Amino acid sequence: SLPAKLINGGIAGLIGVTCVFPIDLAKTRLQNQQNGQRLYSSMSDCLIKTIRSEGYFGMYRGAAVNLTLVTPEKAIKLAANDFFRHHLSKDGKKLTLLREMLAGCGAGTCQVIVTTPMEMLKIQLQDAGRIAAQKKLMAAQAQLSSSSTARVAEPVVETRTTATQITRELLRSKGIAGLYKGLGATLLRDVPFSIVYFPLFANLNKLGQKDPSVKAPFYVSFLSGCVAGSTAAVAVNPCDVIKTRLQSLQRGVNEDTYSGILDCTKKIWQKEGPMAFLKGAYCRALVIAPLFGIAQVVYFIGIAEFLLDMLPKHRA
């Protein structure tokens, strides 16, 4: 049933995000740093420095936004894919690869209603620590280079903003369109991701089914979700880099600003080289693989069906 699908998608999203959010934070910070302003050399370096400067919970900056909005986002994505697959199948016959891709395309298009504002707010909170650390480093370097008689610069103090404050400011200054900055780039990432992910998962999952009428074992669904998720994540990583750059409202010292997708692509290619489009790719694969593995296990086990079935019994 639709309520069961929505609940399953929501539970899957909550569990998955909680497990992999620190890696996602490292991905955002690695993707946003530009040549000449590199604070982090790798994912592990980013996480270690984050813990040292911001504490353990610094790795979870922006997690509240994700945990709040990931339930409708994952619910829409998984339920929409099922909806389109159902309506694209004729008389219960096996879907062709093209129809599976169309169903994934429909799911990816539907999910950006929630994904774009969620990503916008999450990126601001995740990247705030990097910008603050960069300003502190620049201030320390300026202080060392100044003469002993020069006035000592004031220490840089990070002012922490919340998702609510950012939302209010965006709505006040730009209206609802402010929350949908980078919508085109989000579509450019999520639609191809879904086109690759859903058909690949469905076909990998079928390999573990002994009978078409019987669900595959949970470990098959988990591994299928991991493989399909990581493959799709790496395939669309260039689009994710562009989306992350476009949705970042604050920039570090001497970092470029972008007017759109083409301008962003051109500047990254010219100033940082083609390999810059793969920044954070392994982090994104590490995030997406368990996230979708967990999501598919929860979704296919059907926790919601069990909970919904228990309600009438409890009332009785």
Side-chain angles (χ1 to χ4, degrees):
S1 64
L2 182 59
K5 290 176 182 178
L6 297 178
I7 294 170
N8 278 334
I11 294 172
L14 289 172
I15 296 171
V17 167
T18 303
C19 293
V20 302
F21 192 84
I23 305 173
D24 186 62
L25 179 135
K27 179 214 66 134
T28 297
R29 293 188 177 185
L30 288 170
Q31 286 182 338
N32 262 335
Q33 64 179 8
Q34 300 179 19
N35 286 347
Q37 303 294 334
R38 291 172 60 87
L39 291 174
Y40 315 112
S41 59
S42 64
M43 179 186 73
S44 58
D45 181 54
C46 178
L47 293 176
I48 290 169
K49 288 179 178 177
T50 298
I51 293 172
R52 285 176 180 171
S53 61
E54 303 169 54
Y56 175 79
F57 290 104
M59 295 190 299
Y60 282 88
R61 292 182 70 169
V65 176
N66 251 37
L67 291 172
T68 302
L69 296 178
V70 74
T71 298
E73 187 258 352
K74 285 289 177 289
I76 289 171
K77 187 171 194 168
L78 295 172
N81 181 66
D82 272 3
F83 173 83
F84 287 117
R85 286 178 70 89
H86 174 73
H87 285 277
L88 286 170
S89 62
K90 294 181 178 179
D91 302 324
K93 292 181 180 178
K94 181 181 177 181
L95 282 171
T96 62
L97 179 60
L98 178 59
R99 289 178 180 269
E100 287 184 326
M101 293 172 70
L102 286 173
C105 178
T109 304
C110 290
Q111 81 167 84
V112 297
I113 298 168
V114 176
T115 303
T116 305
M118 179 180 73
E119 292 279 322
M120 259 288 294
L121 297 171
K122 184 196 72 172
I123 286 171
Q124 313 319 312
L125 298 170
Q126 285 183 329
D127 204 40
R130 181 189 70 89
I131 294 172
Q134 188 190 82
K135 288 179 179 178
K136 287 178 183 178
L137 181 62
M138 296 289 287
Q141 290 173 346
Q143 187 173 339
L144 287 173
S145 62
S146 63
S147 63
S148 58
T149 57
R151 183 173 65 87
V152 177
E154 292 291 328
V156 177
V157 179
E158 181 189 356
T159 304
R160 293 206 174 194
T161 55
T162 65
T164 304
Q165 290 172 329
I166 297 170
T167 302
R168 285 175 180 171
E169 178 58 28
L170 285 171
L171 290 174
R172 185 189 64 79
S173 60
K174 298 182 180 179
I176 192 70
L179 291 174
Y180 281 87
K181 180 179 172 66
L183 174 62
T186 307
L187 280 167
L188 196 63
R189 181 196 68 172
D190 288 348
V191 172
F193 177 91
S194 295
I195 289 174
V196 173
Y197 172 77
F198 283 111
L200 182 57
F201 168 79
N203 286 283
L204 288 174
N205 197 55
K206 283 177 186 175
L207 297 176
Q209 290 179 281
K210 295 181 179 179
D211 187 273
S213 60
V214 180
K215 288 182 180 180
F218 79 93
Y219 63 88
V220 172
S221 293
F222 176 76
L223 291 174
S224 299
C226 288
V227 172
S230 57
T231 302
V234 173
V236 302
N237 195 74
C239 301
D240 189 56
V241 172
I242 294 168
K243 182 199 73 67
T244 300
R245 296 279 182 97
L246 289 175
Q247 288 188 321
S248 297
L249 300 176
Q250 294 186 8
R251 303 288 177 190
V253 181
N254 300 324
E255 289 185 345
D256 288 327
T257 57
Y258 312 102
S259 60
I261 295 173
L262 292 178
D263 180 57
C264 182
T265 305
K266 182 180 177 182
K267 286 180 177 177
I268 292 174
W269 184 277
Q270 291 177 342
K271 297 184 179 182
E272 302 174 59
M275 290 304 294
F277 291 104
L278 293 178
K279 282 184 176 181
Y282 66 97
C283 290
R284 184 162 163 75
L286 288 175
V287 169
I288 296 297
L291 182 62
F292 277 84
I294 293 167
Q296 291 294 357
V297 168
V298 174
Y299 195 64
F300 275 83
I301 286 176
I303 291 176
E305 285 88 340
F306 172 76
L307 294 175
L308 291 173
D309 285 344
M310 289 294 291
L311 285 176
K313 296 176 183 178
H314 178 69
R315 287 172 186 169

